[in-house]
Amino acid sequence: QYARNSIGLALAQESYSGRFFSQAAQPGGVLQAKGAVSEDAARRMEATWQEAHSGLGNAWKVALLEEGVEWKQTGMTHQDAELIAAMEWSVENCARWFRVPLHMIGHTTKQTSWGTGIEQMSLGFVKYTLMPYFERFEQAINMRLLGANAQAPIFPKFDPDGFLRGDFKTRMDGYAIGRQWGWVSANDIKRMEDE
């Protein structure tokens, strides 16, 4: 509900650009005649213009206008409106509402600027986006499924370790230290690696 304007703007931009590219008869302008034009001539001229210049395949075709008629631009061009930049901003804005890093939705036009890059952003996603949901689910399971009358010491717990794994070298170095100091066994390591 809070994000509806951001999402609505993104949808409107997508719809507008789709219409522009599918029906692009240079919208935002008029065909202007020097003298009076009959209703039939006006209909014929409009139909001819649409047929010749509407659609992606006809974009930027040369227009041949009848005598005394000229094209007059009345609206902003796409370059003036900077539609592409606005659409990129909408993608970022929608991702922001759901606390999802841009690289996770395939929007990689900007360089990473957080920590060591994408790995740190992915860890941040687990910490700041997923963990609050995990905690809510755990509390709801405790309250609604198990309740205060649970006989055994049963409790729900999400394990985000799979998401938090570092790269291979970092994991192996950590396991080696744990083995060296004796607080991790070979079986512990295999279990943590899901083997």
Side-chain angles (χ1 to χ4, degrees):
Q1 182 177 355
Y2 290 123
R4 66 181 165 198
N5 285 340
S6 301
I7 295 169
L9 176 61
L11 290 171
Q13 288 169 338
E14 178 119 1
S15 177
Y16 173 80
S17 63
R19 278 196 315 276
F20 178 83
F21 286 114
S22 66
Q23 301 171 357
Q26 284 297 325
V30 294
L31 295 172
Q32 188 173 33
K34 290 180 182 171
V37 178
S38 70
E39 195 173 324
D40 288 340
R43 271 200 220 105
R44 182 172 44 80
M45 202 180 314
E46 182 183 3
T48 303
W49 180 269
Q50 289 292 344
E51 184 181 338
H53 302 286
S54 182
L56 190 56
N58 293 327
W60 310 113
K61 272 181 144 180
V62 175
L64 180 60
L65 302 174
E66 297 183 30
E67 188 175 344
V69 174
E70 62 182 48
W71 167 257
K72 192 170 195 178
Q73 185 82 30
T74 60
M76 288 193 302
T77 65
H78 261 8
Q79 290 81 5
D80 294 333
E82 296 183 5
L83 180 64
I84 304 273
M87 291 176 74
E88 282 187 7
W89 181 84
S90 288
V91 167
E92 294 170 17
N93 203 27
C94 289
R96 191 176 297 119
W97 276 106
F98 296 100
R99 294 181 300 189
V100 176
L102 295 175
H103 75 275
M104 295 187 80
I105 59 170
H107 187 72
T108 56
T109 57
K110 296 184 178 174
Q111 294 180 347
T112 61
S113 59
W114 186 22
T116 57
I118 289 182
E119 183 180 356
Q120 291 301 312
M121 292 173 80
S122 298
L123 294 175
F125 173 68
V126 173
K127 184 175 181 180
Y128 298 115
T129 302
L130 294 182
M131 290 304 290
Y133 284 112
F134 291 164
E135 289 170 11
R136 288 183 199 127
F137 291 145
E138 290 166 357
Q139 291 170 359
I141 291 169
N142 265 332
M143 185 173 64
R144 297 182 182 184
L145 296 180
L146 301 177
N149 298 324
Q151 299 297 317
I154 297 173
F155 61 92
K157 186 72 179 161
F158 282 89
D159 183 5
D161 286 347
F163 294 116
L164 298 172
R165 283 184 183 158
D167 61 80
F168 184 78
K169 182 180 182 334
T170 304
R171 291 196 325 271
M172 294 306 118
D173 289 348
Y175 294 151
I177 292 169
R179 283 281 283 157
Q180 176 184 351
W181 291 99
W183 56 271
V184 176
S185 72
N187 287 337
D188 291 335
I189 293 168
K190 292 179 78 61
R191 186 168 45 254
M192 286 186 275
E193 286 294 306
D194 293 326
E195 293 182 5

